[in-house]
Amino acid sequence: MRVFKEKQNMMTWWMLALLLVIMGYQLYLYGTDLERLIREPSLWITVLVIILLAAMQLHTRYDEKGIYVRFLPFVWGRQISWDSIAHAYLRTYDISDFGGWGYRVGRQGKAYNAKGKDGLQLVMKDGSQLMIGTQHPEELKKIIQDYKPYTDEFE
């Protein structure tokens, strides 16, 4: 049977560049005054943000059992069986649909997304909805078609 695994993180090149510019500016401001620099909370906040963004990772595995999602540090492990899913379809989402990236709750249900604009929308048999972000929508579509009746769009 087919297996599709994906690992995504929250860090994007432009976000890292912005944080490094901020850190560089802080280093420029304090120059060689290391004692003052070490006491500067904004430097430590910038370092902490970089560490947190690098640590947040969305791991997904699609196989014959269903979908396994781990989104550290928010979701330590969630198994979704194919039997619990009524509909599954790929969609393009906008940042306003869920209010950003990460572990989100929006008007269209929950979302686990790290970056990008593509996701797998799940409509569960209990009526709840979950959108899982992906960087490889075409590969994911093939896997979903193997295991679950797939629709191009839910009506």
Side-chain angles (χ1 to χ4, degrees), residues 6-95:
E6 188 172 8
K7 179 180 171 183
Q8 303 174 63
N9 63 37
M10 300 290 288
M11 190 66 73
T12 60
W13 70 267
W14 59 267
M15 195 179 307
L16 181 60
L18 177 65
L19 290 167
L20 291 175
V21 165
I22 291 169
M23 187 180 285
Y25 181 70
Q26 292 165 336
L27 293 171
Y28 170 76
L29 281 178
Y30 297 105
T32 58
D33 190 354
L34 291 178
E35 185 177 311
R36 187 170 170 210
L37 178 64
I38 290 172
R39 287 185 280 128
E40 179 57 42
S42 64
L43 175 68
W44 294 110
I45 290 170
T46 305
V47 170
L48 181 62
V49 167
I50 291 171
I51 291 169
L52 286 175
L53 288 173
M56 282 193 250
Q57 296 183 355
L58 174 61
H59 298 258
T60 51
R61 177 185 167 94
Y62 300 81
D63 61 24
E64 72 277 356
K65 295 177 187 175
I67 304 167
Y68 178 77
V69 180
R70 188 170 50 140
F71 194 7
L72 299 174
F74 309 108
V75 179
W76 289 92
R78 178 177 178 189
Q79 181 73 40
I80 303 165
S81 71
W82 295 118
D83 291 338
S84 66
I85 301 170
H87 303 282
Y89 60 97
L90 287 171
R91 64 173 284 196
T92 300
Y93 62 90
D94 187 85
I95 192 169

